[in-house]
Amino acid sequence: GFVCEWLVKYLPLIGWYRNFVNQDTFVNRSFESDKPRIEKRIDEFHNSNTDMMLFLAPEGACVDHNDMAKKYINDCQKFAASQGYEPFNYVLTPRYKGLTCLARHVAERGEIMSITMAFVKDGKLLDERLHSPDRVVPDLYTLFDGWGGSPLSVYVYARHLDNFNSKSPEEIKKIMMDDYKNKDELLAHFHEHGHFPGVTLDQMGEFAVNHPKVHAHILLHNLLWLATAYAAGVLPLVLRSITWIFATCMVSCVTGKYLYGSTMEAIPFETGIKALMMWMYQRKVKKGKDVSTTNTCGDSQQAY
């Protein structure tokens, strides 16, 4: 299961699936309202005796090159400095408060793993310095670039993190800040040397993707799905639905890229919806609404 922002569950099809079937945990970055929601979801997993692996990004945001993102990066760097750390250049600061709710989930069963990923394409690190104009945030279009695109390699550095059991919120904050300091150093080393410290690329274990096999599975799956629709007499309806979905995705992507300058498609339709939100935010700024005094990374704003 994933811990993700509340907007995702309202996105067509995949958002509805993640809400009603996958049972992801949706948060709106307000600790007071999110705490009971997180605890309720954990209780559901435990009461059903379900072993659930939770994936979450404690920084709680994905930043690109717009004004809102630049402000958020600056706020995070100021917050790191206020906590006695050198400002992070490759990662944001973690939003730690929500992790206090997850401490019980880990204490009763499981462990915490810290994951750092380096995305490389054509020999270039995509997730480089936060303020770099060459920085690329990988999304679905980056990962599935098509036959004419260059392959994308993902290098993963995993390590065990201290258990949160019996830790105070301040101790959890220090564990997370130390971990993100380590992540920042890992990516800085990869950016300079082309590999993580202590291990060269040829020493890393490789999980190679059998692309022909994957493509064959996808093709057979789609043919079986279409054959089932034909047998049920609903093939024309299915084809019209597929055409509508692809057309909507195309309009969403083109509109979002026009408004925003790049795609941000973690899930379908996200580029258009988030670009529209960014556009509304910028209009609000141009009308004179003062947003420069709000520190979105300070302790008072740290939902997670």
Side-chain angles (χ1 to χ4, degrees):
F2 289 84
V3 178
C4 47
E5 59 183 324
W6 63 271
L7 175 65
V8 171
K9 69 179 180 181
Y10 297 112
L11 296 179
L13 300 179
I14 192 168
W16 306 336
Y17 177 86
R18 291 179 64 172
N19 184 29
F20 296 110
V21 180
N22 205 46
Q23 292 190 313
D24 286 338
T25 304
F26 297 95
V27 295
N28 61 12
R29 301 177 186 176
S30 169
F31 183 63
E32 291 184 358
S33 63
D34 289 338
K35 180 181 178 180
R37 188 179 299 112
I38 295 172
E39 292 181 338
K40 179 176 180 293
R41 185 68 80 194
I42 292 174
D43 286 336
E44 290 174 352
F45 293 149
H46 289 188
N47 293 338
S48 63
N49 198 30
T50 301
D51 289 328
M52 176 61 69
M53 182 182 295
L54 289 175
F55 296 86
L56 66 152
E59 61 269 23
C62 182
V63 294
D64 295 280
H65 301 289
N66 57 78
D67 293 338
M68 183 187 296
K70 292 176 182 177
K71 179 185 184 305
Y72 192 77
I73 292 170
N74 291 332
D75 287 344
C76 286
Q77 292 181 334
K78 291 176 183 178
F79 178 72
S82 72
Q83 300 299 307
Y85 296 84
E86 288 291 326
F88 303 152
N89 292 313
Y90 291 83
V91 296
L92 303 172
T93 52
R95 303 167 72 91
Y96 58 88
K97 285 186 178 179
L99 296 174
T100 59
C101 300
L102 299 174
R104 179 172 60 86
H105 177 63
V106 179
E108 296 182 12
R109 63 179 79 171
E111 57 187 339
I112 304 174
M113 294 294 296
S114 173
I115 305 297
T116 304
M117 294 188 293
F119 295 84
V120 177
K121 191 172 187 178
D122 293 326
K124 180 181 179 297
L125 180 68
L126 299 185
D127 47 333
E128 58 167 84
R129 292 182 182 88
L130 294 170
H131 281 298
S132 172
D134 297 325
R135 183 171 180 267
V136 176
V137 180
D139 65 356
L140 291 178
Y141 292 104
T142 312
L143 296 174
F144 304 106
D145 206 12
W147 285 328
S150 301
L152 177 72
S153 298
V154 183
Y155 299 94
V156 180
Y157 190 101
R159 71 185 187 97
H160 289 274
L161 205 60
D162 289 343
N163 200 304
F164 292 164
N165 193 22
S166 302
K167 295 289 194 303
S168 68
E170 282 300 313
E171 289 174 319
I172 292 177
K173 177 171 74 171
K174 187 175 188 312
I175 290 173
M176 294 306 301
M177 289 297 293
D178 287 345
D179 179 54
Y180 269 65
K181 176 177 180 292
N182 181 68
K183 290 177 183 290
D184 193 67
E185 293 171 348
L186 288 172
L187 288 173
H189 189 282
F190 198 107
H191 192 191
E192 182 177 354
H193 301 283
H195 61 84
F196 290 119
V199 55
T200 59
L201 296 186
D202 58 354
Q203 293 174 324
M204 297 183 70
E206 181 181 6
F207 296 90
V209 177
N210 188 332
H211 293 96
K213 184 177 180 180
V214 172
H215 293 158
H217 284 176
I218 294 174
L219 177 61
L220 291 174
H221 175 270
N222 290 337
L223 290 176
L224 179 61
W225 195 63
L226 292 174
T228 303
Y230 176 80
V234 294
L235 182 59
L237 175 62
V238 168
L239 293 177
R240 285 196 298 270
S241 299
I242 293 174
T243 302
W244 179 85
I245 292 171
F246 271 89
T248 305
C249 280
M250 182 183 69
V251 171
S252 172
C253 179
V254 171
T255 303
K257 195 164 184 177
Y258 174 77
L259 292 175
Y260 191 71
S262 64
T263 60
M264 44 187 146
E265 202 84 351
I267 59 176
F269 310 105
E270 190 172 11
T271 296
I273 293 175
K274 284 196 171 181
L276 182 60
M277 293 174 62
M278 298 294 182
W279 178 75
M280 294 171 62
Y281 169 81
Q282 291 174 345
R283 279 177 56 89
K284 187 179 295 185
V285 171
K286 289 180 179 179
K287 287 182 178 179
K289 182 175 177 61
D290 185 14
V291 296
S292 61
T293 58
T294 303
N295 187 334
T296 53
C297 284
D299 271 319
S300 62
Q301 297 292 325
Q302 281 273 313
Y304 291 98

